[in-house]
Amino acid sequence: MELKYVGPKPIISHTGIEFDKNKEDKYIYLNIIVQFLKALSHEYHEDKTYIYDAQLTTCNACEILNELKRYCPKINILMDKQNHKIEDIIDHNLQRAHENNVLSAIDKEVLENNIHIMHDYLVQRSINKSVYYCAVDMLAELLKKDHIDHIIVPMYQEFAHVLHSVQGSITRQKIPIDTKLDIYNDNGKLLLKLQVVRII
């Protein structure tokens, strides 16, 4: 199994296949997560500020996967498990389409064909998403383990998306820290700050 970009969320029906461009493939955030993991994975000294210059080059899919394996050692098992899970969902959707009492026989056939056409797309998108959330959980764990007080990054949508996902992971895992995400201006540059507060 591999990582690769496929595209936004498909909306599959008996009339065709459309794409929800507001639900982008999580693959596009994996390079950013790798940069965050590299930046945060080191020894820390109290009261010291650390600066990390993110690489301007984008890692290819193979490099991203190899890097993520360092932080999520069971990533291949996760990908395989997600593959089985999405296959079950696809089979269920095919069965529902076949048993649909509202659609005509031709419409049912079109819907089933559209699901078959999007099979590999759906599988890959699901695998990308599971890997993304595994890496997000690792970022949340690093914040807790290393007692990181805050992260400041340029105000780009991709950074905001990843840090917002980290906030969600902290909430889901019930990690005893609270977070606050703020945008502020520093000499004409918009920055994003994730503040991390320990709950006693």
Side-chain angles (χ1 to χ4, degrees), residues 12-33:
I12 305 168
S13 71
H14 66 283
T15 60
I17 302 165
E18 297 178 22
F19 296 91
D20 183 350
K21 294 187 178 170
N22 293 319
K23 303 273 186 172
E24 188 52 273
D25 185 353
K26 295 297 185 191
Y27 178 86
I28 68 168
Y29 303 108
L30 292 178
N31 187 58
I32 292 163
I33 286 188

Side-chain angles (χ1 to χ4, degrees), residues 3 59 74 83 86 88 90 92 95 101 134 141 159-160 177:
L3 293 175
C59 299
K74 296 182 179 177
N83 182 51
I86 191 64
D88 288 344
I90 292 169
H92 174 72
Q95 187 66 29
N101 293 323
C134 176
E141 189 58 36
F159 286 141
I177 58 178

Side-chain angles (χ1 to χ4, degrees), residues 11-67:
I11 301 164
I12 305 168
S13 71
H14 66 283
T15 60
I17 302 165
E18 297 178 22
F19 296 91
D20 183 350
K21 294 187 178 170
N22 293 319
K23 303 273 186 172
E24 188 52 273
D25 185 353
K26 295 297 185 191
Y27 178 86
I28 68 168
Y29 303 108
L30 292 178
N31 187 58
I32 292 163
I33 286 188
V34 165
Q35 297 298 327
F36 272 124
L37 288 168
K38 283 181 177 180
L40 299 176
S41 297
H42 57 80
E43 292 295 319
Y44 286 90
H45 300 286
E46 194 172 342
D47 298 328
K48 183 172 179 184
T49 299
Y50 292 86
I51 297 172
Y52 176 80
D53 289 327
Q55 297 173 9
L56 296 177
T57 55
T58 302
C59 299
N60 65 38
C62 187
E63 291 168 334
I64 289 171
L65 183 57
N66 287 335
E67 195 64 38

